[in-house]
Amino acid sequence: MRPTDKTGNQDLPRGQGDHATLYVSLELSRSTWLVTSLSPNSAKMSKHTIPAGDAPKLLALLARLRGRAERFVGGSLHVVVIQEAGLDGFWVHRSLEANGIESHVVDPASIAVSRRRRRAKTDSIDGETLLRTLLAWKRGEPRVCEMVAPPTPEQEDRRRLSRERATLLRERVQHVNRIKGLLAGQGITDYDPLHKARRARLDGLTTGDGRPLPRQLKAELLRELARIELLLQQIADVEAERDLSIEADADGRPSPIALLAQLKAIGPQIGAVLYHEGLYRSFANRRDVAAYAGLVPTPWRSGSIDREQGISKAGNPRLRHIMIELAWLWVRHQPNSALSAWFRARVGNERGRIRRITIVALARKLLIALWRYVTQGEVPEGAVLKKA
């Protein structure tokens, strides 16, 4: 009979090569890090707590655990560490790999958990679950979890421009809506805060009952306009830096973003998001491409029950959102393409829900077509390129 842990669950049996491996899981939080380890030829998991963000202490603890296990087995050991993808990003993973430790980052949503209505959840239980997941994955069990492919620091830094621009646009919308809301309370509904003559037009505004703007309200509106002008300048700076990053390389070859922007319906911003959020990665097949964007269907089949739950939404949300937006633009600007013809044949004159469902399917097909275009140079069937 296999040994059990404190929770009463049996430890998974380990392979023949595990006698030379020390398995470690990291449960990361804002205050503390819980390190759970399983030494060779041991059925008991040990747990240690260190302050959050203290990489030197983590490396020292791993070295101490490794040394203790090596004295026990009388030989050298290989250390394998697993952690969940989360707010800490990938710096812990990179720090471990830089010190010669094999590290893996797992998608937390792919780890199987108890389906009890009231299941116990603690850092200790989560650490043990992570460790069991790592053991099963190293044994080669299929579909036990989904490991994340961490981007390089350069790849991670390149996508900051498109993400920062999206953040700045959201902030601009907030300030514009605030100005319009303040003016609506005075009976003014025709003022555009983004107009070039916004300050001059503000001076000539009068309330709905014919009074000039109150002094404090006008001062507040001027401060809001100053914030909008700062945001407009920052957006222009980000867009200029983005445009410089998509120029041809030293050999004169166009960048993948420039290739995408050659297609009608795709501009520099959409091309940058498409490439830096997804198409820069290496995918094995078209299913992996669609799954990374969360655009794959989620069936529910059991016995006589057979229905669809919609797309999984388990992938990169930024890539998924931009693909839905691009799908609508593709139908408008690429009407003679095979994908647009497929959409019209499916939808016809329908409106509403059928149209929204079909546009998601078109987004999935379009993403796969663009992946082939970037990696193999295969232009989507019937697509039109922009004039030089």
Side-chain angles (χ1 to χ4, degrees):
M1 183 175 178
R2 296 198 299 269
T4 59
D5 63 4
K6 293 180 180 179
T7 62
N9 297 322
Q10 290 183 333
D11 286 329
L12 294 170
R14 287 176 281 166
Q16 297 297 323
D18 291 348
H19 66 278
T21 304
L22 172 66
Y23 293 98
V24 180
S25 72
L26 303 180
E27 185 64 26
L28 309 180
S29 68
R30 292 177 180 268
S31 57
T32 59
W33 288 357
L34 178 65
V35 182
T36 307
S37 64
L38 184 61
S39 300
N41 302 324
S42 174
K44 183 179 179 181
M45 300 180 186
S46 62
K47 300 177 179 63
H48 304 268
T49 301
I50 60 174
D54 198 335
K57 278 194 175 182
L58 174 62
L59 294 173
L61 174 60
L62 293 178
R64 189 165 67 251
L65 293 174
R66 181 177 187 172
R68 184 187 307 168
E70 286 179 342
R71 289 193 298 271
F72 180 78
V73 300
S76 61
L77 282 179
H78 181 59
V79 181
V80 184
V81 179
I82 188 174
Q83 60 178 293
E84 293 180 347
L87 294 177
D88 289 278
F90 301 104
W91 74 270
V92 179
H93 163 79
R94 294 179 184 130
S95 176
L96 293 172
E97 288 201 329
N99 286 273
I101 298 173
E102 181 182 344
S103 176
H104 299 282
V105 182
V106 64
D107 178 6
S110 67
I111 300 176
V113 296
S114 172
R115 295 191 296 174
R116 290 180 177 177
R117 184 175 181 180
R118 290 186 178 179
R119 65 180 182 90
K121 185 189 184 305
T122 64
D123 287 347
S124 177
I125 294 175
D126 290 345
E128 294 177 4
T129 302
L130 267 180
L131 203 53
R132 291 193 182 89
T133 302
L134 177 61
L135 289 169
W137 185 77
K138 291 294 287 185
R139 283 198 306 271
E141 293 188 14
R143 300 183 180 183
V144 66
C145 66
E146 292 291 338
M147 291 296 181
V148 176
T152 64
E154 293 76 18
Q155 291 170 339
E156 196 172 29
D157 192 55
R158 288 192 201 107
R159 62 192 184 192
R160 296 308 322 160
L161 286 176
S162 59
R163 294 187 177 185
E164 182 184 2
R165 182 180 180 273
T167 301
L168 293 174
L169 289 178
R170 286 195 297 270
E171 293 180 7
R172 189 186 70 180
V173 170
Q174 291 173 355
H175 290 294
V176 168
N177 290 343
R178 175 165 175 76
I179 290 176
K180 289 184 176 181
L182 291 173
L183 291 175
Q186 301 294 327
I188 302 171
T189 58
D190 58 349
Y191 179 76
D192 183 8
L194 298 180
H195 195 278
K196 290 184 179 180
R198 49 186 167 268
R199 287 183 177 267
R201 294 185 65 188
L202 183 65
D203 292 334
L205 290 179
T206 57
T207 62
D209 54 353
R211 295 178 294 104
L213 287 178
R215 184 173 61 88
Q216 295 297 339
L217 174 61
K218 187 174 181 180
E220 182 178 358
L221 292 172
L222 287 173
R223 286 190 288 270
E224 287 289 339
L225 288 179
R227 296 187 186 101
I228 289 180
E229 289 165 353
L230 175 60
L231 287 170
L232 291 175
Q233 181 58 49
Q234 291 179 344
I235 291 171
D237 294 341
V238 169
E239 290 177 345
E241 189 173 351
R242 176 204 64 197
D243 294 340
L244 287 175
S245 67
I246 63 177
E247 292 181 351
D249 58 16
D251 298 330
R253 293 173 299 184
S255 68
I257 301 175
L259 285 176
L260 289 167
Q262 289 178 2
L263 292 167
K264 279 189 174 181
I266 299 181
Q269 179 62 22
I270 291 181
V273 175
L274 282 176
Y275 183 72
H276 291 313
E277 293 293 347
L279 297 182
Y280 76 92
R281 298 167 57 95
S282 296
F283 296 101
N285 50 54
R286 59 187 177 86
R287 294 181 182 85
D288 286 351
V289 179
Y292 182 73
L295 291 171
V296 293
T298 311
W300 182 281
R301 300 190 184 108
S302 178
S304 60
I305 302 174
D306 187 355
R307 61 183 178 87
E308 287 290 341
Q309 304 177 95
I311 58 175
S312 66
K313 296 186 179 181
N316 188 319
R318 295 179 180 88
L319 180 60
R320 182 170 61 255
H321 294 165
I322 205 67
M323 282 310 306
I324 301 297
E325 178 182 345
L326 178 57
W328 290 113
L329 293 172
W330 189 269
V331 173
R332 178 187 302 175
H333 297 286
Q334 296 279 8
N336 298 323
S337 66
L339 290 174
S340 297
W342 175 87
F343 177 79
R344 290 193 300 270
R346 283 295 190 96
V347 174
N349 296 324
E350 294 288 341
R351 292 292 184 268
R353 183 172 180 271
I354 296 299
R355 198 175 184 85
R356 293 194 300 269
I357 291 175
T358 311
I359 204 67
V360 174
L362 175 63
R364 179 170 61 249
K365 290 177 175 290
L366 180 57
L367 178 60
I368 295 169
L370 294 177
W371 168 64
R372 289 172 176 161
Y373 172 62
V374 170
T375 57
Q376 305 171 17
E378 179 183 340
V379 179
E381 184 180 352
V384 178
L385 298 178
K386 299 174 183 175
K387 294 181 179 180

